[in-house]
Amino acid sequence: EIIAAVKGFFAESAAPRPLAGRRAVVTSGPTVEAIDPVRFIANRSSGKQGHAVAAALAALGAEVTLVSGPVTIPDPAGVRMVRVESARDMLAACQAALPADILVCAAAVADWRVEAADQKLKKQPGGAPPALVLSENPDILATLSQAGARRPRLVVGFAAETETVVEHAVAKRRRKGCDWILANDVSPATGTFGGDDNTLHLITDHGVEDWPRLTKQAAAERLAARIAEALAAASPKEPA
Amino acid sequence: EIIAAVKGFFAESAAPRPLAGRRAVVTSGPTVEAIDPVRFIANRSSGKQGHAVAAALAALGAEVTLVSGPVTIPDPAGVRMVRVESARDMLAACQAALPADILVCAAAVADWRVEAADQKLKKQPGGAPPALVLSENPDILATLSQAGARRPRLVVGFAAETETVVEHAVAKRRRKGCDWILANDVSPATGTFGGDDNTLHLITDHGVEDWPRLTKQAAAERLAARIAEALAAASPKEPA
């Protein structure tokens, strides 16, 4: 008992690892949907916020799988990387990474994909532009929020909005069935997409909490600390 | 006369600069067409070939303006960079960079743009995907190939094809009104888009010349040397 207490004391004073023994899956970056062999639809997500969340969870001791679309930023240290392109690939990679205690969906997932052509679409002289036939992609957040044995205990989504940010996000939380939503304004004027800062609103079943403008790293650390608190309250760990 | 001859001798032995005094405009990379504030259509062009052509022309003494869409590779040394996003921006930047002796259109320009929305397109629960209304972009190569006082003396286009590569490119040269076309196969299996090598076919009014598989840098140097020869033959410079 004394040895265990001493071990616990040193572990905590060196670096608190409240998420040790927890598994987390984080999605990050854009998804890329092929139109044909050379063209694609993507979005302006840099992956900075999702990668920072993965790093912050790992820093608190979680075993993190980071499922990321194509980005140009470095891989965070200490996480398992899974690289994907399309929304369907991302969903499959997340499902393969379960079970987990924590799921944070920070990727900017394409709502729609294109019925992709096998050959490059050719411009026909004098012809009309081709019709891009869109199909709805699977909803990764909603799919993984569904009740069931493999549902992560805490599912956190992001809502990237350009208008009535909080209202949209509150509705989104209810619709998706996730536990928390972090809502942010990604209007071009905010510089959020690709930038280093983020102004977030945390929406839980207790209401809306407005966070100050933070660096994406500080926002990730705040989120990771909140996740650790929530999991500890829900299922206190055995005393060391 | 002796001094001039000596100067000429040393200039040539140090580094041949057959394009000294010539102006070149090179386009490179993808263009990016906004769908809404966060989504866009782009393509898999890395900019490696266009950037290498700009560098190779500059190495032969040309004064080069490189008009590039968003890429992640470094700027070549010794060229003037103009960064653009859309095809319309790229055309305007090229026109602003004229007059020039040489134009090499290596960018992968979007044939179509989307009638972009001011606000992020929202997925409507149970609703159909939005229709993406496409409009034809200006044809940069054809526009700048049109006869006129500002037409560059030598206009070179690239044709990225995934099937019947040379046939498509021969037709494209005629349709666009450019002088030369470099045709390449960008099928995913070739690894050309994003890769370091390229297998090109040079199509001129003398016919088709099949080049061996080369690094993009070697292909660029070969093209720059051919351009220098062609311009020297068309208008020999004053002897030094």
Side-chain angles (χ1 to χ4, degrees), chain B:
Chain B
E1 270 181 20
I2 293 176
I3 293 174
V6 169
K7 270 192 183 162
F9 175 81
F10 278 106
E12 284 202 22
S13 64
R17 292 173 61 82
L19 292 176
R22 307 284 195 185
R23 289 167 54 95
V25 176
V26 179
T27 71
S28 186
T31 64
V32 169
E33 306 291 333
I35 296 175
D36 65 16
V38 297
R39 300 183 181 91
F40 59 84
I41 294 182
N43 63 65
R44 298 185 190 277
S45 170
S46 63
K48 285 179 185 171
Q49 186 63 78
H51 280 48
V53 169
L57 292 170
L60 297 190
E63 184 190 320
V64 178
T65 299
L66 176 55
V67 180
S68 179
V71 296
T72 57
I73 60 174
D75 297 348
V79 310
R80 185 172 77 92
M81 290 298 303
V82 180
R83 285 173 228 284
V84 298
E85 287 234 327
S86 72
R88 287 178 293 177
D89 295 345
M90 184 171 274
L91 175 59
C94 289
Q95 287 170 324
L98 296 181
D101 303 287
I102 305 154
L103 171 67
V104 180
C105 291
V109 179
D111 290 324
W112 304 286
R113 66 177 176 276
V114 183
E115 295 304 323
D118 289 339
Q119 299 294 335
K120 186 184 169 193
L121 299 175
K122 305 289 297 176
K123 186 161 62 172
Q124 301 301 336
L132 291 190
V133 179
L134 299 182
S135 307
E136 196 162 326
N137 264 329
D139 186 321
I140 296 176
L141 182 59
T143 302
L144 300 179
S145 292
Q146 279 166 12
R150 289 174 80 83
R151 185 191 193 278
R153 180 169 321 183
L154 185 67
V155 178
V156 182
F158 276 74
E161 307 287 348
T162 58
E163 41 180 357
T164 57
V165 172
V166 168
E167 291 78 349
H168 272 140
V170 167
K172 181 172 180 176
R173 189 182 85 91
R174 207 167 299 126
R175 201 166 64 239
K176 304 287 186 179
C178 59
D179 301 298
W180 296 354
I181 286 265
L182 280 153
N184 56 357
D185 186 342
V186 297
S187 302
T190 65
T192 297
F193 262 22
D196 289 321
D197 292 344
N198 215 345
T199 305
L200 292 167
H201 311 270
L202 174 62
I203 293 149
T204 70
D205 56 5
H206 300 301
V208 179
E209 194 179 289
D210 298 318
W211 290 7
R213 184 174 179 88
L214 295 169
T215 65
K216 288 182 178 176
Q217 187 188 330
E221 288 166 359
R222 186 164 177 156
L223 174 63
R226 289 294 302 267
I227 288 172
E229 279 171 29
L231 289 184
S235 66
K237 284 195 250 181
E238 301 295 312

